[in-house]
Amino acid sequence: MKCFSCEKTIDDDSTFCIYCGSNLISNALRLTIGSSPQSDILLDYPQISHDHAFLVQENGKWFIEDRGSTNGTYVNDRTVSISRAQIVPRDTIYFGSFKMPAERLLKMRIGTSLGRTDPHAIAITEKETIFGRDPAATICLNSPQISWRHARLRQEGNTFFLKDLGSTNGTYVNGTRIASCRITPEDTISFGSFTFKLTPDRKIEKRDYRGDIRLDADRITVKVTNRETQSAKRLVNNISLTIYPSEFVGVMGPSGCGKTTFLLALNGYLPPQSGRSLINGQSLYDNYDAFRSCIGYVPQDDVLHAELTVYEALYYTAKLRLPEDTTRREMDVRIDAVLTQLGLIDKSRNLDVRNVLIGSAEKKGISGGQRKRLNLAMELLTDPSLLFLDEPTSGLSSEDTVIVMSVLRKLADEGKTILLVIHQPSLEVYRKLDNVVILASGKLMYYGPAYPDSLCFFNPDEPQEKITNNADNVLKGFALRHEREWEKTYGQSSYFEKYVKGRKQSDPSRKKSTFEDVGRASLSAFNARQWWTLTCRYFTVKRKDSINTAILFLQAPVIAVLISMVFHDQGKENAATPLFLLIVSALWFGTSNSAREIVAEKAIYGRERMVNLGIASYVLSKYAVLGFLCFLQCAVLVGIVHPMVNLNGFIGSAFLFTFLVALAGLSIGLFLSSLAGTQPAAIAIVPLVLLPMVILGGGMLPVRDMGSSSSVLSHLVPSRWVYEKMLGIEDTGNEENRAEKEKGDVALEEDGERPPRQALHLGWVDRFFGDRVHKDGLILFVLAMYIFGFAGLAMLALKAKDKV
């Protein structure tokens, strides 16, 4: 750009002229605003005229001047257009229906571009162009989503190759995460909130989406089918609308009208049967991987571990979402900044919740309003530009509701696009919204300004003074007429023309770009760092949930003492029963420990999976912590029972196979948990799984005495295989049995025929399994299949539940 004083060319990022020292902003006496590429501040949206307005500074004061624009320029009042008006930072300016806080507008540099790629292309001067957070990178991208050295663009002759440098949040080309690939001018490169394109003259065009996210619902329809009648019901019916950057939009309507469904269809959680959700003109579902880091979503259910402190919750989230090269100090600075931004750290009020327990209804922690803001804080760690919130004020007091909405209002003014579902807001809360979406039976009844326009729209026969003092009048007025009448009235209104048709861009192409793919990066691959972070977090949760963890652990000594009391010194005569009880107890430990663990975190898992959570890393982190718990339980169980019952087998072998069968139960429990929809359902199915293992395991009726069908079925349960091995271990350690068996073999050789069975001291394996025995290698293979097979099935079950 040029200095207005000396007219010399200055670097675009400069605030002061290096030649004459002038303040570049204060000398910008007249800045042009419009959709023209030559505008000083380029706003490329349908509501913006080619030459829309001037931003003028005179004697230290700022003015906005309309340049005869088609849709007009407004200050604070959307009903009265201006030709020229003085503005201050607290004002709100409207270019047509495009809203811009004056404070944000006054901070914009010459050359700022919203809605279009920055026209100032970056020349490629070296063979290698490094993108990253490193200040020494060729193109420095200062964002928490970007790794220190994120990617490299290398020129080889006339060809360019892009390579990801092991970034945490990925490198994308045309919406596909890549490891490396060839790049052409037709391809779009994206990292976090930044996109780049090569130009034919070998330059790089950059676009920064921070504060520049436009969201479109394009004929979205979501249907569900009634299984009994096979009829389809439309939860969302052909809705189209556009939300501009920096707008704060509420979604309201009667219960069951499709509010949450509409929100989920827009943010990627619920793919619509028809229509599209578009982010800056690109299909979210076709490019979800590329957009996932730009989206923040706060569901109605908390995505928090109640056992952690506020800092611990944010620290582990930062470890999972921020680049791997982010230092502990950088994380702490980011956490403090977000908590301060949300009012959870306020030195003026001596407020600091970092070391406060999150808590739950049973265990006191932070307040409900603070918990809602903490849910939001977890999303803000990566600085997303688009926020979706499902009833963030539900269950809060009026004071907490105002605090939460004030925080969201401030975030919108800073450039974030926000969409939230809200019920029955107070007038103070309602006035904080820019626009409101009113739904009924899945159809759009109204989309336009919230206050006072929506109140007047639904109460056309009432004086404005009477209806604008109560936000409830929106839905009260709506209830006075039939839905079809409101739908028709809105379709013929100026609001529909201005906020739906007037904002609609030309239909974006549905064709996806293609590129020569050299290597793709997978989000499902095991990530050791992510696994370790999840394992540490889960271990901390279990450690702090001391009562429940203690109950789980105490099962082992209690059961061990009971078995020992009943079978004390009975090992030689009756070793089979306590051995079988060891196996059943170990299966119980593994299955009961894990059956609730995945379904209990359903909301947390769902949110983290939509960001960057790897399924293998998640399941194996559960396995590591619960496996350690099973190890301790089995050690206590065998350590007490084996000497007290006077078993003769080697205690180390007995412990090993007891632990292995516990791991098999652990895998089965995780699989059940991944299938179950609720915790009670997961617990209810555990007996249905364990009882067949008890009945068919061989301890209640020897396998040799079972019928052919039940004998075949017994091979399907791990208890039968481990029981056979445990009896074999006992036989090996029983010197008397071994000596008697040797005498029987001698008698068989001398007489030429086998003595009657009752004349021999048969081993435990012979008594319970007869000829139906297997080699040790096969037993170990079957156990491995249970351990790894069901863990793999748990991963597949979770994969099948992926939304995108």
Side-chain angles (χ1 to χ4, degrees):
M1 65 181 175
K2 290 184 177 181
C3 173
F4 281 80
S5 296
C6 64
E7 296 187 351
K8 291 186 178 181
T9 302
I10 310 298
D11 185 275
D12 288 342
D13 294 325
S14 299
T15 303
F16 295 90
C17 177
I18 61 174
Y19 298 101
C20 66
S22 300
N23 186 308
L24 299 177
I25 297 299
S26 65
N27 280 299
L29 299 179
R30 184 175 290 262
L31 301 180
T32 58
I33 302 172
S35 59
S36 167
Q38 285 72 45
S39 298
D40 295 323
I41 299 176
L42 193 161
L43 304 177
D44 186 25
Y45 297 99
Q47 292 286 322
I48 309 299
S49 296
H50 192 263
D51 299 307
H52 198 107
F54 286 120
L55 180 62
V56 182
Q57 186 189 46
E58 293 179 359
N59 300 321
K61 297 180 180 179
W62 288 98
F63 298 85
I64 193 81
E65 291 183 6
D66 187 77
R67 300 177 67 184
S69 63
T70 302
N71 294 302
T73 303
Y74 307 82
V75 177
N76 298 325
D77 187 350
R78 285 182 298 254
T79 63
V80 181
S81 62
I82 59 96
S83 56
R84 176 182 168 93
Q86 182 180 347
I87 59 172
V88 293
R90 65 175 178 272
D91 288 332
T92 301
I93 302 170
Y94 298 89
F95 303 105
S97 68
F98 185 90
K99 177 201 168 194
M100 175 73 68
E103 183 177 12
R104 186 181 177 205
L105 180 66
L106 295 175
K107 292 179 180 178
M108 289 183 172
R109 303 184 285 109
I110 297 174
T112 297
S113 173
L114 298 182
R116 179 181 292 182
T117 300
D118 190 337
H120 302 286
I122 304 167
I124 300 176
T125 58
E126 301 177 1
K127 286 190 175 182
E128 283 192 353
T129 301
I130 302 297
F131 302 85
R133 212 171 66 251
D134 182 0
T138 314
I139 298 179
C140 179
L141 304 173
N142 186 20
S143 168
Q145 302 170 7
I146 305 299
S147 295
W148 192 253
R149 291 174 66 85
H150 198 104
R152 179 184 68 219
L153 183 67
R154 183 177 179 84
Q155 182 178 358
E156 297 181 6
N158 295 324
T159 307
F160 288 88
F161 291 94
L162 181 68
K163 179 179 177 60
D164 183 80
L165 298 179
S167 66
T168 299
N169 291 311
T171 298
Y172 299 86
V173 176
N174 305 324
T176 300
R177 187 167 184 168
I178 60 97
S180 61
C181 71
R182 185 171 67 87
I183 298 295
T184 68
E186 288 75 33
D187 297 322
T188 299
I189 305 167
S190 56
F191 320 107
S193 298
F194 302 92
T195 63
F196 299 87
K197 287 181 75 74
L198 289 178
T199 64
D201 59 349
R202 296 172 183 263
K203 293 182 179 180
I204 301 177
E205 288 184 339
K206 170 188 172 184
R207 179 170 179 181
D208 184 351
Y209 281 120
R210 291 176 299 179
D212 187 19
I213 291 286
R214 167 197 169 108
L215 177 66
D216 287 88
D218 180 25
R219 304 185 296 275
I220 286 183
T221 299
V222 178
K223 296 181 288 188
V224 293
T225 302
N226 187 310
R227 294 183 178 180
E228 296 180 359
T229 64
Q230 295 300 309
S231 59
K233 178 182 178 181
R234 297 194 175 196
L235 301 180
V236 177
N237 191 355
N238 196 34
I239 293 181
S240 295
L241 55 84
T242 298
I243 299 173
Y244 278 160
S246 195
E247 285 190 332
F248 187 19
V249 179
V251 182
M252 295 177 60
S255 297
C257 68
K259 299 184 293 293
T260 296
T261 304
F262 178 58
L263 188 79
L264 297 180
L266 279 176
N267 70 9
Y269 270 60
L270 184 64
Q273 277 70 39
S274 62
R276 296 174 296 168
S277 175
L278 304 172
I279 295 180
N280 291 342
Q282 299 182 60
S283 171
L284 170 61
Y285 287 93
D286 290 342
N287 304 277
Y288 188 82
D289 280 348
F291 285 125
R292 69 170 72 228
S293 60
C294 300
I295 298 173
Y297 171 51
V298 180
Q300 188 173 358
D301 297 328
D302 285 342
V303 287
L304 305 167
H305 289 95
E307 299 79 10
L308 301 179
T309 65
V310 169
Y311 174 80
E312 287 170 337
L314 291 174
Y315 170 72
Y316 286 121
T317 299
K319 289 277 285 184
L320 290 172
R321 299 190 187 184
L322 297 182
E324 293 182 11
D325 48 43
T326 306
T327 65
R328 178 66 177 266
R329 176 170 175 74
E330 287 177 311
M331 288 183 190
D332 288 345
V333 168
R334 183 67 191 155
I335 289 170
D336 288 353
V338 169
L339 290 176
T340 301
Q341 184 180 24
L342 297 180
L344 296 173
I345 293 179
D346 189 342
K347 294 181 179 179
S348 64
R349 295 191 295 139
N350 196 28
L351 174 65
D352 187 345
V353 301
R354 280 176 295 189
N355 297 316
V356 179
L357 189 72
I358 293 173
S360 61
E362 296 79 20
K363 195 171 185 179
K364 182 64 177 175
I366 58 177
S367 69
Q370 290 173 334
R371 186 176 291 109
K372 291 292 185 181
R373 281 181 278 167
L374 179 57
N375 278 281
L376 180 57
M378 299 179 78
E379 299 302 314
L380 294 180
L381 285 173
T382 55
D383 194 25
S385 297
L386 179 59
L387 287 173
F388 295 91
L389 302 100
D390 190 2
E391 300 190 32
T393 60
S394 176
L396 299 184
S397 66
S398 57
E399 181 181 359
D400 283 334
T401 297
V402 172
I403 292 174
V404 170
M405 292 296 286
S406 297
V407 167
L408 294 173
R409 174 70 270 168
K410 184 179 179 181
L411 291 173
D413 290 341
E414 292 171 355
K416 298 191 185 301
T417 305
I418 301 177
L419 183 68
L420 82 160
V421 173
I422 190 168
H423 278 293
Q424 299 179 334
S426 66
L427 185 64
E428 183 180 5
V429 166
Y430 197 66
R431 295 187 68 165
K432 294 183 183 299
L433 298 171
D434 293 317
N435 299 328
V436 65
V437 177
I438 306 294
L439 301 179
S441 301
K443 298 180 180 180
L444 182 63
M445 300 290 114
Y446 175 86
Y447 174 53
Y451 182 88
D453 303 65
S454 61
L455 298 170
C456 297
F457 178 82
F458 287 107
N459 298 272
D461 302 325
E462 296 288 340
Q464 181 171 337
E465 296 78 12
K466 181 179 178 180
I467 61 173
T468 55
N469 61 358
N470 191 346
D472 287 343
N473 283 324
V474 173
L475 296 183
K476 285 182 180 178
F478 171 78
L480 298 178
R481 298 186 187 180
H482 196 277
E483 294 171 5
R484 285 195 293 270
E485 185 176 349
W486 285 122
E487 185 181 16
K488 181 179 179 181
T489 301
Y490 178 66
Q492 297 172 348
S493 70
S494 60
Y495 296 111
F496 180 78
E497 289 293 325
K498 193 172 185 180
Y499 286 86
V500 177
K501 291 181 66 176
R503 291 184 170 198
K504 185 176 177 62
Q505 290 182 322
S506 57
D507 191 35
S509 172
R510 292 175 180 263
K511 182 180 178 181
K512 292 184 70 176
S513 301
T514 58
F515 62 96
E516 183 180 339
D517 191 9
V518 178
R520 295 183 182 232
S522 173
L523 282 175
S524 299
F526 175 76
N527 184 299
R529 178 181 181 269
Q530 190 178 79
W531 167 80
W532 179 246
T533 300
L534 291 166
T535 300
C536 291
R537 183 178 72 177
Y538 188 44
F539 181 80
T540 303
V541 169
K542 300 301 284 186
R543 177 174 57 82
K544 290 197 167 188
D545 188 13
S546 55
I547 295 178
N548 288 327
T549 302
I551 291 173
L552 290 177
F553 178 75
L554 288 173
Q555 293 179 71
V558 170
I559 293 173
V561 169
L562 290 174
I563 295 174
S564 300
M565 288 174 60
V566 174
F567 297 96
H568 181 60
D569 285 337
Q570 299 293 314
K572 291 183 179 181
E573 293 77 19
N574 193 16
T577 303
L579 285 174
F580 188 69
L581 290 176
L582 286 180
I583 295 167
V584 172
S585 300
L587 278 169
W588 167 256
F589 294 156
T591 308
S592 64
N593 287 352
S594 58
R596 291 175 296 182
E597 296 307 297
I598 292 178
V599 68
E601 293 185 348
K602 183 167 62 173
I604 297 172
Y605 167 81
R607 178 62 200 132
E608 291 182 343
R609 176 62 181 159
M610 294 299 282
V611 179
N612 65 352
L613 183 66
I615 293 177
S617 303
Y618 178 74
V619 172
L620 293 179
S621 71
K622 300 288 185 190
Y623 216 94
V625 176
L626 295 176
F628 178 67
L629 178 59
C630 286
F631 179 89
L632 296 178
Q633 289 174 312
C634 291
V636 171
L637 182 68
V638 176
I640 295 176
V641 171
H642 198 281
M644 294 297 295
V645 177
N646 197 23
L647 296 173
N648 294 310
F650 178 52
I651 189 171
S653 299
F655 165 74
L656 173 62
F657 281 90
T658 303
F659 178 52
L660 288 177
V661 80
L663 292 183
L666 172 56
S667 294
I668 293 170
L670 288 176
F671 175 60
L672 297 178
S673 191
S674 67
L675 292 178
T678 62
Q679 292 188 62
I683 294 301
I685 202 172
V686 168
L688 297 178
V689 174
L690 285 179
L691 285 176
M693 297 182 191
V694 176
I695 296 170
L696 297 172
M700 300 185 68
L701 178 68
V703 172
R704 59 175 292 171
D705 296 334
M706 290 182 181
S708 57
S709 58
S710 55
S711 176
V712 170
L713 286 175
S714 71
H715 286 78
L716 300 178
V717 296
S719 52
R720 179 250 183 269
W721 296 89
V722 179
Y723 191 39
E724 178 185 330
K725 180 60 184 174
M726 292 283 278
L727 291 177
I729 293 171
E730 186 65 17
D731 281 343
T732 302
N734 192 329
E735 294 295 335
E736 180 180 345
N737 253 8
R738 192 159 60 239
E740 292 295 333
K741 188 175 187 305
E742 289 174 357
K743 292 178 183 179
D745 291 340
V746 171
L748 179 63
E749 292 177 3
E750 292 176 351
D751 301 339
E753 62 180 84
R754 190 177 185 88
R757 184 174 298 275
Q758 60 270 24
L760 291 175
H761 293 278
L762 297 177
W764 291 113
V765 175
D766 286 337
R767 296 185 198 182
F768 281 81
F769 291 91
D771 297 330
R772 302 173 185 179
V773 295
H774 303 88
K775 294 182 179 180
D776 290 349
L778 180 60
I779 294 175
L780 287 171
F781 174 77
V782 171
L783 283 176
M785 290 296 294
Y786 270 101
I787 293 171
F788 298 109
F790 276 94
L793 288 174
M795 297 178 196
L796 290 176
L798 290 175
K799 179 67 176 176
K801 292 183 178 182
D802 277 354
K803 305 296 183 181
V804 180

